[in-house]
């Protein structure tokens, strides 16, 4: 008998006296094995995957809501809720037929009218959906299982748009819920996915519970990312939010949780030493570090100042600040797109490679007219990745002879201040740091940060006619080869105009107890196929 | 006494009103925007603005404040911007863990700190006194999170006696409830125990110099009776005061403790709400904490009359 059992017995005896005999229920080993306890990367603070586009919401939503198509591990869209699709000869009319037997968690069948309402709500918020709306002629239900999307011009990337994993995904909801304004939050979480959301057990900031949906009919194909047969092997999945990484690591070591999505690099060596824990790269598509310069105001409204920074920055400095000394976790990135993906191309990326040329950079900076005015650098200290990058940038700018106004604050403040278009001295800014999921940066499809359409572009408002022209070329590409060539041209144009500064490509680990099996690498945690033994 | 208590309760209304106005103004002028957090990293400024409009954040200050006060007067703390859940329900969900943690910590403090302070005063100047006061200084100096990590490492990871994290409600059993609270209560209680022990020692030392103690000794009363019946009762006013004021320390410390031990209490809710700029939740919590302070102060004043009959209101 160990000490904990003795303590338990003693306290139990005392407790019986105090509480009038309240018994402590004990989970049997079998019950424990049927519950998977998962520590997500962040708190699930809301649960509307169209209204709130955070990755953590998308990840939870992928269990509860299904999609018409799903992206697979080869980055190809595959049928999911859809049984078949047809395209008219002119490429303008898409007709889709749903699989038979699809059901929502409230027992109602999934009908074409639900799909129409869901796609309309999704399109109002999604970058690709927003490209479809202006060319849409009609989106209608033909019968219970068939719906039709008629466009004014062809949209070759339609299936990719419906399958992609970038938030917001085109999740299908019952019509009554999907009719909610896309800018207002839904209050019912009814999907047709393999897990049901236990709303009654939801403690935002602490816990979210999902239960297996008995009536879910998986596809027959083997599961591959968001595609194929989504077989759930446990009865219950508990998401336990842990704000403190050290606590999460200890809980995993102790067996209080089974899977930690995103352990920080500092704690990985400790986890690797534990014989009961497996550690591996979680998402092979990784992340792209970035800092953005404000193209509206001096000094970075002059392309020469932006190029000067690019000539001097050393991606290794940034990556080591983020991931430490683990060389398996990063690689230099001479461009903007996710390496090791089918259409990856780094054309024009030489300026980011080789020995850093500070003398040339200083000369170019002087030519831009920079004369020592303060450069307002926003840094969110509560986000380790942005804080690390901010420190490196401050050092870099000082070495270039710039006068850095280092504004260390929290992410909430950076988030609102970066939206200000006023001059830096009047509440605006010159630069801020961020990073982008590699899954979002494979192509321009969902890559908001690469857009360079001036006022409509992401914060920093780059205006690069060439970059925009080449992005349009990618949307028109008809083959993988054409796409790859187009990506190369986008990369070259974006580097020439310095749409933003890529600071390197980095990966993160995921860690789980060895009694858990079936975890696959991917851009989000996939729970289908994951089982747990006692 | 009853009229005094009623007067004090009525007096809380303007206090709470001032707190409400202060909190609302502070949040209004503070940087940060919940719409930006909601919209996510990839959102356009237009998306952010539409979300601001849908949440009513674009309305003038007085309109927002008036609407908030009106809801408060109707017993409605509003709805969380992020979860879309009623703030009162969210606070209700989180109250149990925080109250449990505070009660256990308070009990631990009284059981450990008061006897330590009494013994230190009794043995003033001795090795025992120096050891106790040394521990008090140590406990007072260590940050809560350092103690928390140390305890978790020793008792959870190495010895495997107690869990690292989490909270189980009392309805699930006494031991499951208690085992999750032991380490956090010790971590949180360290500062508090040190403070109360030092105050108890100082108050006892003063009382032990009094003539009536000398008289009690002369009458042949035992040491235990002198210390715990005569002296402690007369030293109780400053001890009660510091225990009451210490509740402020507990609330502050609970924020860190709940994060370290992943307890879903009000402290974590507060931090999450502040980082996300979830205004209705922040306002609700601040109002609740203000009310608790007012109530604790009232209780302290009432307890004064019980331990010292010379005090009259």
């Amino acid at each position: 008998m160990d000490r904990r059992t003795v303590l338990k017995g003693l306290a139990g005896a005392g407790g019986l006296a105090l509480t009038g005999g309240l018994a402590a229920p004990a989970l049997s080993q079998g019950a424990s094995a049927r519950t998977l306890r998962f520590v997500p990367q962040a708190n699930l603070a809301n649960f509307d995957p169209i209204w709130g586009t955070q990755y953590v919401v998308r990840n939870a939503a992928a269990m509860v809501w299904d999609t018409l198509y799903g992206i697979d591990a080869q980055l190809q869209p595959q049928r999911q809720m859809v049984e078949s699709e047809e395209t008219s000869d002119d490429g303008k009319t898409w007709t889709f037929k749903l699989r038979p037997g699809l059901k929502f968690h409230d027992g109602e069948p999934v009908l074409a009218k639900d799909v129409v309402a869901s796609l309309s709500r999704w399109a109002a918020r999604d970058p690709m959906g927003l490209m479809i709306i202006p060319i849409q002629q009609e989106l209608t239900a033909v019968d219970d299982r068939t719906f039709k999307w008629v466009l004014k011009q062809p949209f070759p990337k339609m299936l990719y748009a419906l399958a992609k994993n970038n938030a917001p995904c085109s999740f299908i909801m019952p019509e009554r819920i999907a009719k909610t304004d896309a800018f207002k939050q839904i209050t019912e979480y009814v999907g047709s996915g393999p897990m049901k959301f236990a709303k009654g057990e939801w403690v935002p900031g602490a816990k979210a519970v999902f239960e297996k949906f008995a009536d879910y009919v998986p596809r027959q194909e083997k599961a591959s990312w968001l595609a194929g047969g989504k077989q759930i092997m446990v009865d219950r999945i508990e998401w336990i939010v842990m704000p403190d990484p050290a606590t999460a690591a200890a809980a995993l070591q102790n067996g209080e949780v089974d899977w930690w999505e995103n352990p920080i690099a500092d704690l990985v060596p400790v986890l690797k030493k534990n014989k009961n824990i497996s550690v591996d790269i979680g998402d092979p598509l990784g992340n792209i570090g970035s800092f953005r310069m404000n193209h509206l105001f001096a000094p970075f409204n002059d392309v020469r100042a932006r190029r000067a920074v690019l000539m001097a920055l050393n991606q290794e400095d940034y990556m080591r600040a983020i991931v430490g000394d683990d060389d398996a976790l990063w690689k230099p990135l001479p461009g903007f797109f996710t390496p090791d993906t089918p259409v990856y191309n780094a054309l024009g990326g030489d300026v980011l490679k080789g020995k850093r040329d500070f003398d040339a950079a200083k000369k170019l900076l002087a030519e831009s007219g920079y004369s020592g005015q303060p450069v307002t650098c926003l840094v969110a200290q509560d986000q380790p990745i942005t804080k690390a990058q901010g420190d490196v940038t401050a050092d870099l700018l000082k070495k270039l002879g710039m006068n850095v106004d280092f504004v260390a604050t929290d992410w909430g403040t950076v988030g609102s201040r970066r939206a200000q278009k006023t001059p830096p001295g009047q509440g605006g800014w010159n630069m801020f740091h961020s990073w982008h999921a590699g899954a979002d940066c494979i192509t321009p499809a969902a890559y908001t940060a690469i857009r360079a359409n001036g006022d409509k572009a992401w914060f920093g408002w780059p205006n690069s006619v060439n970059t925009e022209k080449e992005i349009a070329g990618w949307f028109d590409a008809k083959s993988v080869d054409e796409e790859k060539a187009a990506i190369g041209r986008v990369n070259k144009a974006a580097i020439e105009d310095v749409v933003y500064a890529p600071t390197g490509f980095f990966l993160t680990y995921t860690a789980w107890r060895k009694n858990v099996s079936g975890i696959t690498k991917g851009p989000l945690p996939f729970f289908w196929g994951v089982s747990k033994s006692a | 006494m009853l009229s005094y208590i009623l007067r004090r309760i009525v007096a809380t209304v303007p206090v709470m009103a001032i707190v409400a106005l202060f909190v609302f103004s502070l949040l209004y002028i503070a940087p940060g925007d919940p719409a930006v957090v909601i919209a996510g990293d990839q959102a356009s400024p237009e998306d952010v603005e539409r979300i601001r409009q849908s949440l009513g954040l674009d309305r003038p200050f007085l309109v927002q404040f008036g609407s908030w006060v009106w809801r408060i007067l109707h017993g409605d703390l509003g709805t969380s911007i992020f979860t879309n859940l009623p703030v009162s329900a969210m606070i209700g969900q989180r109250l149990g863990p925080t109250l449990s943690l505070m009660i256990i910590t308070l009990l631990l403090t009284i059981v450990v700190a008061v006897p330590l302070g009494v013994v230190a005063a009794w043995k003033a100047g001795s090795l025992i006194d120096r050891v106790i006061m040394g521990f008090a200084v140590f406990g007072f100096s260590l940050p809560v999170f350092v103690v928390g990590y140390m305890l978790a490492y020793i008792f959870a990871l190495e010895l495997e006696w107690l869990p690292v994290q989490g909270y189980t409600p009392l309805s699930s059993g006494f031991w499951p409830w208690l085992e999750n609270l032991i380490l956090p209560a010790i971590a949180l209680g360290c500062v508090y125990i040190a403070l109360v022990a030092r105050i108890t020692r100082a108050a006892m030392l003063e009382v032990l110099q009094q003539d009536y103690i000398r008289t009690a000794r002369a009458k042949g009363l035992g040491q235990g009776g002198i210390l715990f019946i005569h002296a402690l009762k007369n030293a109780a006013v400053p001890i009660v005061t510091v225990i009451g004021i210490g509740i402020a320390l507990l609330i502050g410390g609970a924020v860190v403790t709940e994060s370290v031990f992943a307890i879903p209490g009000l402290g974590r809710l507060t931090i999450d709400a502040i980082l996300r700029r979830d205004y209705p939740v922040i306002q609700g919590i601040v109002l609740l904490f203000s009310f608790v302070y007012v109530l604790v102060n009232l209780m302290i004043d009432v307890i004064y009359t019980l331990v010292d009959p010379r005090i009259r209101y």
Side-chain angles (χ1 to χ4, degrees):
Chain A
M1 183 180 280
D2 63 13
R3 183 63 179 266
R4 189 169 176 182
T5 314
V6 175
L7 279 172
K8 196 172 178 174
L10 287 173
L16 278 173
L18 281 171
T19 59
L22 277 175
L27 281 176
S28 70
Q29 276 204 328
S32 169
R34 290 196 300 271
T35 299
L36 184 74
R37 294 158 305 176
F38 172 78
V39 182
Q41 50 162 284
N43 167 30
L44 183 68
N46 69 79
F47 202 33
D48 181 341
I50 305 299
W51 179 83
T53 53
Q54 299 92 338
Y55 290 128
V56 68
V57 178
R58 183 270 318 260
N59 298 352
M63 285 189 276
V64 174
W65 288 283
D66 217 342
T67 45
L68 298 171
Y69 293 80
I71 202 87
D72 68 10
Q74 281 70 51
L75 304 171
Q76 293 303 309
Q78 303 293 347
R79 291 171 187 153
Q80 190 51 235
M81 295 173 77
V82 155
E83 183 182 74
S84 63
E85 73 284 311
E86 281 176 22
T87 323
S88 63
D89 291 342
D90 61 3
K92 293 182 187 172
T93 301
W94 290 82
T95 308
F96 302 89
K97 188 161 194 177
L98 294 171
R99 274 200 288 153
L102 297 175
K103 258 188 201 175
F104 285 116
H105 300 156
D106 59 4
E108 294 296 316
V110 178
L111 303 175
K113 64 176 184 171
D114 302 310
V115 175
V116 167
S118 299
L119 292 180
S120 300
R121 187 166 189 259
W122 162 79
R125 293 295 300 273
D126 181 72
M128 289 191 86
L130 287 167
M131 296 175 79
I132 298 175
I133 287 176
I135 59 169
Q136 174 180 309
Q137 193 166 310
E138 62 169 338
L139 172 60
T140 50
V142 177
D143 58 40
D144 280 354
R145 283 179 54 204
T146 314
F147 66 97
K148 193 169 64 172
W149 213 337
V150 184
L151 307 175
K152 294 171 191 162
Q153 65 187 65
F155 186 70
K157 302 288 189 284
M158 173 65 87
L159 298 188
Y160 183 82
L162 297 177
K164 70 182 179 61
N165 59 278
N166 321 97
C169 299
S170 54
F171 293 118
I172 304 303
M173 304 174 176
E175 183 189 38
R176 68 175 192 284
I177 300 172
K179 279 190 165 171
T180 309
D181 183 314
F183 289 88
K184 288 195 172 148
Q185 202 179 155
I186 60 170
T187 51
E188 277 187 89
Y189 312 113
V190 178
S192 64
M195 301 292 285
K196 293 188 290 185
F197 183 58
K199 190 183 177 187
E201 294 189 61
W202 185 29
V203 182
K207 191 176 181 184
V209 176
F210 307 86
E211 291 165 345
K212 186 173 180 174
F213 177 41
D215 287 343
Y216 182 73
V217 183
R219 295 188 69 91
Q220 294 307 305
E221 304 93 312
K222 192 169 176 281
S224 174
W225 287 12
L226 287 168
K230 299 175 180 174
Q231 303 271 5
I232 299 295
M233 320 297 279
V234 291
D235 291 342
R236 193 176 151 90
I237 296 171
E238 292 180 357
W239 280 30
I240 301 166
V241 180
M242 289 202 204
D244 189 292
T247 308
L252 186 68
Q253 288 172 280
N254 229 15
E256 290 174 39
V257 296
D258 305 307
W259 181 8
W260 181 14
E261 183 183 2
N262 206 187
I264 61 170
D266 290 349
L267 293 169
V268 164
V270 179
L271 299 177
K272 279 183 171 174
K273 278 183 194 161
N274 191 311
K275 64 181 187 326
N276 296 316
I277 293 173
S278 298
V279 181
D280 201 355
I281 299 298
D283 175 8
L285 297 177
N287 302 279
I288 292 173
S290 78
F291 67 83
R292 295 184 72 90
M293 292 171 270
N294 192 335
H295 292 231
L296 300 183
F297 301 104
F300 299 126
N301 59 348
D302 190 309
V303 72
R304 288 171 295 185
R306 301 198 299 271
R307 285 178 186 159
V309 174
L310 222 53
M311 287 166 77
L313 82 82
N314 183 359
Q315 290 186 332
E316 183 170 354
D317 293 343
Y318 284 90
M319 293 297 101
R320 292 215 179 279
I322 293 172
V323 302
D325 294 330
D326 191 340
D327 285 342
L329 283 182
W330 72 276
K331 61 170 84 173
L333 182 67
F336 299 90
F337 292 95
T338 309
D340 305 322
T341 52
V343 294
Y344 173 72
N345 198 318
L347 187 70
D350 291 343
V351 69
L352 287 160
K353 296 180 191 167
K355 195 171 178 294
R356 307 289 76 203
D357 193 343
F358 269 86
D359 291 336
K362 282 179 181 173
K363 189 163 170 272
L364 195 58
L365 188 62
E367 284 172 18
S368 78
Y370 177 72
S371 56
Q373 68 265 42
V375 174
T376 304
C377 178
L378 304 182
V379 179
Q381 299 219 92
D382 53 341
Q383 301 234 1
I385 293 173
T386 57
K387 169 70 167 61
Q389 294 191 98
D391 290 342
V392 176
T393 299
D395 185 53
L396 168 72
L397 297 185
K398 281 175 192 161
K399 282 181 184 162
L400 277 173
M402 300 184 95
N403 175 11
V404 182
D405 175 20
F406 191 80
V407 181
T409 180
D410 68 315
W411 179 245
T413 303
V414 171
S416 57
R417 187 162 174 184
R418 71 182 181 178
Q420 299 294 323
K421 286 186 176 173
T422 49
Q426 297 167 31
W429 54 278
N430 288 112
M431 60 202 317
F432 76 90
H433 299 78
S434 187
W435 75 97
H436 312 292
D440 293 355
C441 306
I442 298 167
T443 67
Y447 197 169
T448 315
I450 197 73
R451 297 301 301 272
N453 45 350
D455 272 357
K456 289 183 179 169
W458 207 51
F459 310 103
W461 307 284
N463 194 346
S464 166
V465 176
N466 279 341
T467 305
E468 282 296 297
K469 188 184 91 183
E470 302 303 350
I471 287 173
W474 176 81
F475 274 99
D476 291 336
K478 304 280 189 304
S479 67
V480 172
D481 287 342
E482 280 184 33
E483 285 196 29
K484 192 167 183 171
I487 293 287
R489 292 193 297 273
V490 173
N491 199 64
K492 186 167 184 288
I495 283 181
E496 276 173 4
D497 287 340
V498 197
V499 169
Y500 75 84
T503 60
F505 174 79
F506 63 96
L507 297 154
T508 52
Y509 283 114
T510 192
W512 65 94
R513 303 277 302 176
K514 282 191 174 156
N515 62 336
V516 174
S517 57
I519 290 174
T520 54
K521 293 182 183 184
L524 58 146
F526 300 112
F527 292 91
W528 28 94
V530 177
S531 60
K532 181 185 164 189
S533 57
Chain B
M1 173 58 81
L2 190 64
S3 68
Y4 170 76
I5 293 174
L6 285 175
R7 266 187 285 126
R8 286 285 299 268
I9 289 173
V10 171
T12 60
V13 175
V15 172
M16 300 294 288
I18 292 167
V19 168
L21 179 61
F22 180 70
V23 170
F24 199 91
S25 309
L26 207 62
L27 289 174
Y28 191 82
I29 59 172
D33 186 344
V36 170
V37 185
I38 291 163
D41 209 31
Q42 310 291 313
S44 69
E46 290 76 23
D47 288 345
V48 173
E49 194 48 41
R50 282 198 66 178
I51 291 172
R52 294 190 87 245
Q53 284 170 9
S54 75
L55 296 172
L57 296 170
D58 59 330
R59 294 181 300 168
F61 170 77
L62 283 178
V63 175
Q64 288 188 50
F65 182 66
S67 152
W68 182 62
V69 170
W70 183 250
R71 284 200 310 269
I72 297 283
L73 290 175
H74 288 77
D76 176 11
L77 289 175
T79 306
S80 160
I81 288 173
F82 285 84
T83 64
N84 215 17
L85 297 171
V87 173
S88 51
M90 290 178 75
I91 289 177
Q93 267 181 336
R94 303 303 194 93
L95 204 55
T98 300
L99 272 181
S100 300
L101 179 59
M102 289 176 74
I103 288 168
I104 296 289
T105 308
L106 208 60
L107 287 175
L108 186 73
T109 302
I110 293 168
V111 168
V112 175
V114 174
L116 281 181
V118 170
V119 171
W122 175 36
K123 297 286 182 186
S126 69
L127 182 64
I128 294 175
D129 177 30
R130 286 201 293 273
V131 169
I132 291 173
M133 286 305 104
F135 272 114
V137 170
F138 190 63
F140 206 79
S141 312
L142 280 178
V144 172
F145 71 91
V146 172
V147 181
Y149 288 140
M150 277 168 41
L151 291 171
Y153 178 74
I154 297 167
F155 295 101
L157 274 182
E158 289 297 312
L159 299 173
E160 297 185 6
W161 289 358
L162 292 161
V164 175
Q165 54 79 44
Y167 171 77
T168 309
L170 186 57
S171 57
S172 299
F174 183 75
W175 174 250
W177 173 73
L178 186 64
E179 74 170 347
N180 277 115
L181 294 170
I182 294 173
L183 296 182
I186 296 172
L188 180 56
C190 274
V191 174
Y192 202 33
I193 288 169
L195 181 70
V196 174
R198 287 174 68 87
I199 295 293
T200 304
R201 179 183 180 274
M204 285 291 288
L205 274 180
E206 196 180 324
V207 170
L208 288 173
Q209 312 293 326
Q210 302 293 318
D211 290 343
Y212 62 85
I213 297 292
R214 205 173 300 119
T215 306
R217 281 206 178 102
K219 282 166 66 181
L221 196 65
Q223 195 65 45
I226 290 170
L227 286 174
F228 289 99
I229 297 172
H230 288 275
L232 187 57
K233 191 174 177 191
N234 285 292
V237 168
I239 299 171
V240 167
T241 306
V242 81
I243 289 174
I245 292 170
I247 288 177
L249 277 179
L250 282 186
I251 290 174
V255 172
V256 179
T257 313
E258 287 173 7
S259 290
V260 170
F261 290 97
I263 295 172
L266 281 173
R268 268 179 67 193
L269 182 64
T270 310
I271 292 289
D272 289 347
I274 290 170
L275 287 176
R276 287 199 303 263
R277 307 292 193 274
D278 198 344
Y279 298 148
V281 177
I282 301 169
Q283 288 152 356
I285 293 172
V286 172
L287 275 186
L288 175 74
F289 283 165
S290 311
F291 184 68
V292 169
Y293 280 129
V294 171
L295 210 64
V296 167
N297 274 315
L298 178 60
M299 281 169 62
I300 291 171
D301 287 347
V302 171
I303 291 171
Y304 283 168
T305 65
L306 299 177
V307 297
D308 188 349
R310 290 170 300 180
I311 296 175
R312 290 274 185 275
Y313 297 113

